[in-house]
Amino acid sequence: MPAPLRPVRRRAAAVLAVLAATATALTTTGIPAAGAAGATGLFGAEHRAASSAASSAADVYLSPDGDDHASGTAEQPVRTLEHARDLVRARTGHLTADLTVHLAPGTYRQSEPLVLDARDSGGNGHRVVWDGAGSAVVSGGRQVTGWQQVAARPGLWAAPAPSGLADTRQLYVDGVRAQRARGEVPVDLTVTSTGYTASAGTLATWRNIGDAEFVYTSGETLWNIARNGLGQWTEPRCPIASATGTTITMAQPCWDNSNKRVEFPDIPGRTVSMVGPGKLTNSGHASYVENAYELLDQPGEWYFDRSAHTVYYLPRPGEDLRNADVEAPVAQKLIDGGGTAAAPLHDVTFRGLQFSYATWLTPSSPGGFSEIQAGYTITGPTGWATQGLCHFVAGGTCPFASWTKMPGNVSLAHSRSIDFTSDVFAHLGAAGLELGTGTKDARVSGGIFTDISGNGMEIGGVDGTEPASGVQVTDNHLYALPREFHGGVAIVNGYTQHNTIAHNQIDHVGYSAISMGWGGWPDKIGSPATPNPSHDNAVRDNLIFDYMQMLDDGGGIYTQGLTGTSMADGEKVTGNVIHGQWGLGKSVYTDNGCTYETVQGNVLYGAAYANVASRHTDYRDALGNSDPTLVKDNWWEEGSGDSDNKGLVTTGNHIIAAPSDAPAAILGNAGLEPAYRGLLDRRIGALAVPEAPSRVGTATAGAGALQVTFNPTFADGGSPLLSYTAHVLDAAGHQVTTADISAADFTDRAHLRIAGLDAGQAYTVTVTATNAQGAGAPSLTSAPVKPGPATVLPAAPSGAKLRTSAHAATVAWTPPTAIGDSAVVGYRITVSDGRTIDVTGRDALVTQPSGKGMFRVIGGLAPGTAYTVTIAAVTGAGTGPEVKVTATTPAA
């Protein structure tokens, strides 16, 4: 009998993208040194030979050691991107061949973006190609040197800030992102209209308290994790303006935009934005505080004292700051290109370039980061009351849901026929690549997107202006993101037309992998989705796994709002393989107002409570029909039978008990095409210990025992995770015991049990992750809990169903609402043929407090046979009563 279906894991190597056809590989330990040159000249004999056949007399050559007074030939290269642009600009009017800008190996440092417009375009049927040959880095960073040990703080080092560094939100050591100093809020907080009253004046004694910010995360309250955000899909941040005595004043307008979102007067609790709550949940308590000197206590943490112009860092084991490449991002954009609708930038290729070390300072401003979804934020002094609320409020700005998009560190708008080929987007502080309003016929292929603070790639917008169209995003690897703004998405696609997202691999991401569409939320109040220009978009043949590793309420592919005008031109989601979800959500999530969606021929498994969902009423008329949706010929675990639910058509889908039950052709075709699979074997930056796990929660498991759960790290340091260690601390913060679990076992179980504790004492827990490089920093501390007795069994599950095919059946149930005095950690399924199946995993933990249904597939069944299945919940008190269901498999 096959075991219950579990996600197939494939390690996603930390990679650096170049096609097999591209020339020089990047170094594996970080950015090439500035001015690095081949042994036979600035460009090297191999580079010159490879490019000579395609070179034009108009070509321009750059080197980090060049001279902007030079002519720009291979023998006399210029130094800066701006000067190269000016040489190109003087030549584009008379092109008889493609004009290539050849970047010699090395680092090209930018304090301001390279600005491109229509004058920098190709012409006469030819292109301008910016070619880094896989060895050129466009960097917005400044090297931090002159490190000295701080006498009064053993282990702490300090260095003067480099010239031009006024502020930054990131620091990197040998290509490895450091953690801004963070820790628990050291006082109790009571919310006021302008911030908080603290239980003590501790924060008022900190140096530079105006640099610190509160971060608000979310979680499952059953596991002693407070919901502190603006929805389980968000992680807002607000700076502290000042602290005087016990009075903490928060920065405006971030505070109001996060706590005063206008609500419908006749719909209690429903914001007019219709996305999340009107204020920070859990009474507005902060989950943790970040960016303070006083919090520097873990290896890998840093702090920039702007007033003293000094950078502080606690090195990780093995790091030597005297020899390390320490980079502080200065620029907020590396390329800012486009033009106007009438005069766009066009026919330009960026090939073999690495874009790194850019920051984004808006979240550090009084506006903060008042997130609403997918990196979009509420901004402006009256944003909470008017922004994007259109006709629903007096003075609302239109169109509905036109909130503020996170910018791209590489950003283009009003551009035509722009290609990004074999490029790397890494070590970035905003979104990686933004193809914004008016982008047409762009291609992004063979690229790597990793170690990015927010969204990996953004296409189009939601402001109702000219939609992006004809964008093809193919054969890219996006992984280990977002690293700072954890509600970000690997690929965000707004209002667009004729776009294709295909053959990409997306893995190890904190929230949803791909987000499509916008503006569907009015169906929450019985209104139709916002009209928009989207149509003819396709998401096909992608491989998505290990997604939603940190936040909830998303999916592998998430879509909402109108996707077209009919089933013919609506969005097509086909041929994708999606598995290994961690957070609460769905494989393909058809959310509010998702209309004219086709979900066909995908392989979907390892999701929390649905493979494809959900039904929504189409409010464009009063007929009560569903939003037109076709769910056809998928291979999945969900097992829903054929039906036509008022326009939601489900037909021809197949239950699978293992991935091998799905067609090999679909499995083999999804993800990177063969010519691009070498991307998976490359990495960027030095190998490092893993990032800390997140959202640690605890529950009693009986007298003297605790159950511990947490979210795994999705940034593994370029080396596979081996294990996790839970550290149990007493009330004084002293470690009393530890417990280990392998990474593989934790993936299956999602919790561990620790016994031998004092039933009368409250304990907190931190968790560290370990790979071959060692153990990473500990997580933030869980809330305290006493390991009291667990003696009351849970109630029986309800709503049991058995959805059968000839050889397999999906057993579905609703978790019990009464669970006794412990948390649900699993279920026990018995089958009338004598088998017992223990159900564990993240979904077993999170579906109960959320009230979501669960399912598992039972394989190895005989056709035409009656089966009885029972399901019982398991807690620290034991196994509860069963619910029973019987069904007969159809004849083969």
Side-chain angles (χ1 to χ4, degrees):
M1 149 65 189
L5 188 58
R6 287 285 181 260
V8 171
R9 302 286 167 178
R10 186 202 299 178
R11 176 181 173 271
V15 298
L16 189 60
V18 279
L19 288 172
T22 357
T24 312
L26 283 167
T27 64
T28 61
T29 56
I31 286 182
T40 56
L42 290 171
F43 293 86
E46 291 184 5
H47 177 94
R48 286 181 290 173
S51 61
S52 61
S55 294
S56 161
D59 281 1
V60 176
Y61 291 79
L62 282 85
S63 167
D65 291 333
D67 183 348
D68 278 349
H69 295 95
S71 60
T73 63
E75 293 73 23
Q76 295 183 319
V78 296
R79 183 176 62 85
T80 65
L81 300 178
E82 287 78 9
H83 198 69
R85 175 203 60 197
D86 293 343
L87 293 177
V88 169
R89 190 173 284 178
R91 305 176 187 186
T92 53
H94 310 285
L95 294 182
T96 59
D98 289 354
L99 189 163
T100 300
V101 182
H102 302 273
L103 283 76
T107 300
Y108 298 82
R109 297 188 182 275
Q110 302 284 111
S111 58
E112 298 292 337
L114 174 66
V115 177
L116 302 175
D117 60 31
R119 295 171 292 174
D120 308 304
S121 304
N124 300 328
H126 303 292
R127 304 181 68 80
V128 172
V129 180
W130 293 76
D131 185 9
S135 298
V137 180
V138 180
S139 169
R142 292 290 179 271
Q143 286 185 309
V144 184
T145 59
W147 290 95
Q148 300 289 332
Q149 294 189 56
V150 178
R153 289 282 307 274
L156 183 64
W157 290 66
S163 175
L165 179 63
D167 198 5
T168 189
R169 292 182 63 89
Q170 296 84 31
L171 190 76
Y172 302 85
V173 180
D174 287 332
V176 177
R177 180 180 292 239
Q179 171 63 54
R180 285 209 306 174
R182 66 175 184 173
E184 313 298 329
V185 180
V187 291
D188 293 330
L189 301 173
T190 302
V191 176
T192 67
S193 61
T194 58
Y196 301 94
T197 298
S199 59
T202 306
L203 294 181
T205 67
W206 287 8
R207 67 163 83 173
N208 306 322
I209 188 61
D211 288 349
E213 63 192 33
F214 282 154
V215 184
Y216 303 87
T217 62
S218 62
E220 292 74 45
T221 54
L222 182 68
W223 280 87
N224 208 23
I225 310 173
R227 287 193 176 102
N228 296 340
L230 286 162
Q232 297 177 63
W233 54 94
T234 68
E235 192 181 76
R237 296 166 170 260
C238 277
I240 298 172
S242 65
T244 303
T246 59
T247 299
I248 299 172
T249 302
M250 299 299 292
Q252 294 286 14
C254 187
W255 185 248
D256 281 354
N257 285 339
S258 303
N259 285 287
K260 294 175 64 175
R261 295 181 182 180
V262 63
E263 298 181 353
F264 286 107
D266 55 343
I267 311 177
R270 174 68 71 195
T271 58
V272 180
S273 71
M274 296 171 250
V275 186
K279 62 182 178 180
L280 295 165
T281 52
N282 191 32
S283 300
H285 286 185
S287 301
Y288 62 94
V289 59
E290 186 173 284
N291 199 37
Y293 176 85
E294 290 74 9
L295 299 172
L296 281 167
D297 62 357
Q298 296 296 330
E301 288 189 332
W302 69 281
Y303 170 69
F304 178 29
D305 188 330
R306 294 182 299 163
S307 61
H309 212 57
T310 301
V311 182
Y312 294 93
Y313 180 65
L314 271 172
R316 300 178 177 97
E319 290 179 334
D320 182 354
L321 295 182
R322 293 166 296 188
N323 301 312
D325 174 25
V326 182
E327 299 279 348
V330 173
Q332 297 193 64
K333 284 192 177 183
L334 300 173
I335 292 179
D336 193 2
T340 65
L345 175 71
H346 61 89
D347 295 295
V348 177
T349 296
F350 301 94
R351 183 171 64 206
L353 296 169
Q354 177 175 331
F355 299 100
S356 290
Y357 302 139
T359 190
W360 178 40
L361 297 179
T362 296
S364 298
S365 74
F369 187 73
S370 182
E371 189 173 24
I372 196 158
Q373 185 167 319
Y376 278 81
T377 56
I378 302 293
T379 60
T382 61
W384 59 275
T386 60
Q387 187 180 23
L389 303 186
C390 203
H391 60 279
F392 291 109
V393 299
T397 62
C398 295
F400 175 75
S402 55
W403 299 305
T404 302
K405 181 170 61 174
M406 177 185 298
N409 290 132
V410 175
S411 179
L412 297 179
H414 293 297
S415 60
R416 307 286 190 273
S417 188
I418 306 295
D419 290 355
F420 287 87
T421 303
S422 305
D423 298 310
V424 174
F425 298 82
H427 309 330
L428 296 173
L433 173 61
E434 177 186 5
L435 300 175
T437 296
T439 299
K440 293 186 184 299
D441 300 325
R443 291 181 294 178
V444 184
S445 62
I448 289 297
F449 293 76
T450 189
D451 190 20
I452 296 169
S453 287
N455 296 321
M457 187 187 313
E458 298 176 336
I459 308 170
V462 298
D463 59 2
T465 56
E466 186 179 359
S469 64
V471 178
Q472 299 181 51
V473 179
T474 60
D475 290 296
N476 301 283
H477 188 197
L478 302 96
Y479 71 99
L481 58 89
R483 295 295 300 276
E484 183 177 359
F485 309 108
H486 293 121
V489 176
I491 300 175
V492 175
N493 184 93
Y495 294 151
T496 64
Q497 301 171 355
H498 297 286
N499 286 2
T500 298
I501 300 173
H503 285 293
N504 302 286
Q505 177 168 314
I506 303 174
D507 59 84
H508 294 85
V509 292
Y511 181 50
S512 297
I514 299 173
S515 181
M516 304 285 292
W518 205 251
W521 296 286
D523 84 351
K524 291 175 179 287
I525 61 166
S527 295
T530 305
N532 73 75
S534 294
H535 61 80
D536 289 293
N537 292 314
V539 183
R540 59 175 177 80
D541 306 319
N542 298 286
L543 174 60
I544 297 169
F545 61 94
D546 290 345
Y547 60 99
M548 293 183 64
Q549 297 279 287
M550 189 168 181
L551 300 184
D552 289 321
D553 201 3
I557 299 170
Y558 171 92
T559 300
Q560 57 111 340
L562 296 166
T563 75
T565 63
S566 67
M567 294 303 298
D569 70 2
E571 184 175 292
K572 307 296 189 297
V573 176
T574 61
N576 303 283
V577 175
I578 305 174
H579 67 86
Q581 182 185 108
W582 187 262
L584 194 66
K586 304 154 190 178
S587 308
V588 178
Y589 192 161
T590 55
D591 203 5
N592 300 103
C594 182
T595 305
Y596 301 126
E597 179 93 354
T598 296
V599 182
Q600 184 171 2
N602 305 281
V603 177
L604 311 170
Y605 60 97
Y609 63 96
N611 289 138
V612 182
S614 54
R615 193 202 75 80
H616 292 276
T617 299
D618 186 350
Y619 289 105
R620 293 176 299 168
D621 54 39
L623 299 178
N625 291 324
S626 300
D627 290 325
T629 306
L630 176 63
V631 182
K632 182 179 180 182
D633 296 337
N634 298 288
W635 301 79
W636 62 358
E637 295 176 305
E638 187 172 333
S640 297
D642 290 358
S643 67
D644 184 345
N645 188 355
K646 297 184 176 180
L648 170 57
V649 178
T650 303
T651 182
N653 300 290
H654 311 271
I655 298 174
I656 59 173
S660 57
D661 292 342
I666 299 177
L667 297 172
N669 188 53
L672 300 176
E673 294 177 281
Y676 295 86
R677 290 175 186 167
L679 300 179
L680 303 177
D681 298 325
R682 296 186 176 271
R683 63 178 173 84
I684 185 168
L687 292 172
V689 297
E691 189 179 68
S694 62
R695 297 172 69 183
V696 181
T698 54
T700 183
L706 289 178
Q707 304 281 9
V708 179
T709 187
F710 51 90
N711 280 52
T713 177
F714 54 89
D716 61 12
S719 182
L721 295 174
L722 300 175
S723 63
Y724 296 97
T725 301
H727 306 260
V728 181
L729 312 175
D730 62 18
H734 300 132
Q735 181 172 294
V736 297
T737 190
T738 63
D740 296 328
I741 186 171
S742 73
D745 285 347
F746 184 73
T747 295
D748 287 338
R749 290 166 48 191
H751 74 281
L752 55 85
R753 187 176 188 272
I754 304 173
L757 304 176
D758 183 346
Q761 183 172 170
Y763 295 94
T764 58
V765 177
T766 64
V767 181
T768 54
T770 299
N771 63 12
Q773 313 310 308
S779 67
L780 295 167
T781 308
S782 71
V785 66
K786 291 183 179 181
T791 58
V792 180
L793 292 174
S798 62
K801 298 180 178 63
L802 200 59
R803 305 162 180 160
T804 61
S805 65
H807 298 283
T810 297
V811 55
W813 67 93
T814 301
T817 55
I819 61 167
D821 48 13
S822 187
V824 172
V825 294
Y827 295 87
R828 176 154 293 179
I829 295 175
T830 63
V831 186
S832 55
D833 61 10
R835 288 178 286 172
T836 298
I837 300 169
D838 289 326
V839 174
T840 59
R842 180 65 169 178
D843 54 346
L845 277 58
V846 301
T847 49
Q848 191 277 321
S850 62
K852 303 296 185 181
M854 285 194 63
F855 54 84
R856 283 294 188 274
V857 174
I858 304 169
L861 303 183
T865 304
Y867 288 91
T868 297
V869 174
T870 68
I871 312 104
V874 179
T875 71
T879 303
E882 302 170 338
V883 63
K884 182 181 297 185
V885 62
T886 298
T888 299
T889 56

